Structures are given as C-alpha cells and as structure tokens.
Amino acid sequence: MNSPCQSFGSGPLDAPLRVGGLLPMTTLDYPEHLACVLFCQGCAWRCRYCHNPELIRAKVPTPISWDEVLRFLRKRRGLLDAVVFSGGEATLQKALPGAMRKVRELGFKVGLHSAGIKPASFRRVLALCDWVGFDVKALEEEAELITGVSGSGQANWHSLELLLDSGVDYECRTTVHWQLFDCQRLQRLGERLAALGVQRFVVQLARPQQMLDPELGAAPMPAEAAQLWPYLQQLFPRFELREA
Ligand code: SF4
C-alpha cells in the first residue's frame, strides 16, 4: 500500500501549476456557472475506478504550460464565470494557491474538485475557493478499499470536516462502482454524511469506459437501489443521482 504522506510534487517552490488538460467550456463542473476546467497533473491515490489515469503520475510531460493557460483565460474574460481546478488532485501542487489568486485577479470565480488527500494542503486553499466539489470516497474505515492507500479515509474525512467548517459553498459526491459498493454501504455512508450536516450529496455512477483497474468491468445496478434513492433523497436538502 502507498502511504498517504509520501513526498509529492517536489520541485522549486515557484514552479508553475502543472496542467495535464483543459476543458474550455462546461456547464456541468460548477453548478449554475459557465466554467472551464484545468485538470491538474498528479495524484497520490489509486482509486480503482479512476477515469483519468493519465493524470495520476506527477512527473510526466504536460501538454499545456501555465503561460498558455493564462493566455487562454485572458481571452475568456467576460465569457466564462469560473475556472475549476480539477485533477488528478490539484491540492497536492504547491503552485495551486498562487494559480488560484491569479485566476481571481483575472475576474473569475474559483472552483475546486478535490478529495482532500492532504488536509493541510486542502485547508491552505479553502479560503481561495468559491465552490468545492468534494469527493467522499467511502466511509472513513472503508476508503482504502477504493483508493488502495492506507490512511486515506482519515485524510478524506478530516478534509470534509474542514470544508464543512469553512462555510465555502460545496457539494459532496461519491463515485459508485457496484463491484466496490453495495446498497448497505452506500446507505451507511449517506447516514453518516447527513449526521455530519452535509446539505448537498451527489451519487455519481462510475464511468465504465475508462478505469485505472482493468479488472473492473461494467457492473449492473442492484435491484434494491430503487429503494435507496428515495431514502437518500429524504436525508439531504439536496440529493442527486448522476448517471454516467
Ligand atoms: S479518482 Fe482517485 S486516483 Fe483518480 S484522481 Fe481522483 S483521487 Fe486520484
């Protein structure tokens, strides 16, 4: 198993943000906003269903430089509302706070997709975010089954508490692959999140087209899920099921 505290993204402190891809326009990645998405290179976890496996390795050549990203953003002022930093795991890069400040200076709102892999790094950028899409991997004690990394559940849930305490707007989402989750687990997760005060919860079904673990195939939704969705619906002020 990997350690959650392995050294990561080392390099000069002033190294620019490493961006592995750019989605120029989306209405799906920041609710009610027209945004672009920057897919930040590198992640310390190995979620078996990860659908961006090419973003996991940190030290690979990236297709777009930070200067090119800034040139792109300058041309989109007044056209886009927000820039979403996604991944990989954006918070592992030391350059993220500076990049977020720059994006704000250009007049965009800042969105972040994160699993809070390193709570101290996650905390550092929270005040720079207007909205966070937070990945809750599983119950704290079960997250390692998904991420392959010991201690990942503690990190994930600690960062969730930091987010809820921060007052930053958010949604919590959990990706479900039915070989890794069953309805009972998902119900327990929903109940734990509701007890913590989570207001918006999204279950997103894993996309079978591209996943890190080739042994995971397409798994059918269990029949009892039909009763689970209305149950989760009444646990949260806002609940959504997102199909792949
Ligand atoms: S799905 Fe898991 S492995 Fe993939 S980028 Fe997110 S946290 Fe990392």
Side-chain angles (χ1 to χ4, degrees):
M1 293 293 175
N2 296 317
S3 153
C5 297
Q6 64 192 292
S7 82
F8 193 94
S10 57
L13 274 175
D14 57 352
L17 192 75
R18 305 193 72 245
V19 178
L22 188 160
L23 178 63
M25 193 167 66
T26 167
T27 55
L28 302 177
D29 290 270
Y30 187 141
E32 291 149 36
H33 287 69
L34 196 57
C36 69
V37 181
L38 306 181
F39 295 96
C40 300
Q41 191 70 40
C43 185
W45 290 352
R46 298 292 180 270
C47 304
R48 295 178 62 193
Y49 53 62
C50 182
H51 67 269
N52 285 329
E54 70 285 355
L55 291 170
I56 288 181
R57 287 178 57 211
K59 291 173 185 169
V60 293
T62 49
I64 179 166
S65 71
W66 179 240
D67 284 342
E68 287 171 305
V69 170
L70 289 177
R71 274 199 290 282
F72 166 84
L73 291 178
R74 286 191 186 102
K75 287 190 203 145
R76 295 302 187 282
R77 279 193 274 195
L79 301 173
L80 295 176
D81 307 313
V83 176
V84 176
F85 292 85
S86 187
E89 174 57 51
T91 61
L92 294 178
Q93 293 200 44
K94 294 189 178 89
L96 183 63
M100 286 179 160
R101 281 190 201 98
K102 189 70 198 169
V103 159
R104 283 187 165 279
E105 273 169 39
L106 290 172
F108 300 102
K109 287 188 179 179
V110 171
L112 172 67
H113 293 172
S114 176
I117 284 181
K118 276 172 89 174
S121 306
F122 181 71
R123 187 205 309 255
R124 235 186 332 266
V125 297
L126 264 178
L128 295 165
C129 296
D130 296 291
W131 176 82
V132 176
F134 188 85
D135 290 329
V136 181
K137 291 297 171 189
L139 284 170
E140 181 173 336
E141 58 276 20
E142 294 174 351
E144 187 177 340
L145 297 173
I146 308 278
T147 66
V149 173
S150 61
S152 53
Q154 289 93 317
N156 191 215
W157 281 73
H158 184 191
S159 290
L160 172 60
E161 286 174 8
L162 293 172
L163 173 62
L164 297 178
D165 286 347
S166 72
V168 175
D169 194 18
Y170 69 92
E171 81 177 18
C172 287
R173 59 270 193 99
T174 295
T175 300
V176 170
H177 188 291
W178 294 110
Q179 271 175 254
L180 305 174
F181 256 102
D182 59 28
C183 286
Q184 289 72 27
R185 273 194 173 141
L186 192 50
Q187 178 175 329
R188 285 201 304 276
L189 174 62
E191 289 166 348
R192 190 99 52 101
L193 292 174
L196 213 53
V198 167
Q199 300 289 302
R200 180 171 184 164
F201 182 44
V202 176
V203 170
Q204 45 191 23
L205 302 179
R207 298 177 205 165
Q209 296 83 358
Q210 180 177 242
M211 291 185 284
L212 177 64
D213 183 345
E215 287 179 14
L216 281 184
M221 188 185 292
E224 61 265 34
Q227 284 92 53
L228 180 60
W229 309 133
Y231 177 75
L232 292 175
Q233 195 98 46
Q234 51 87 33
L235 281 185
F236 299 95
R238 282 182 291 174
F239 170 76
E240 193 184 325
L241 172 64
R242 254 174 228 158
E243 313 223 15

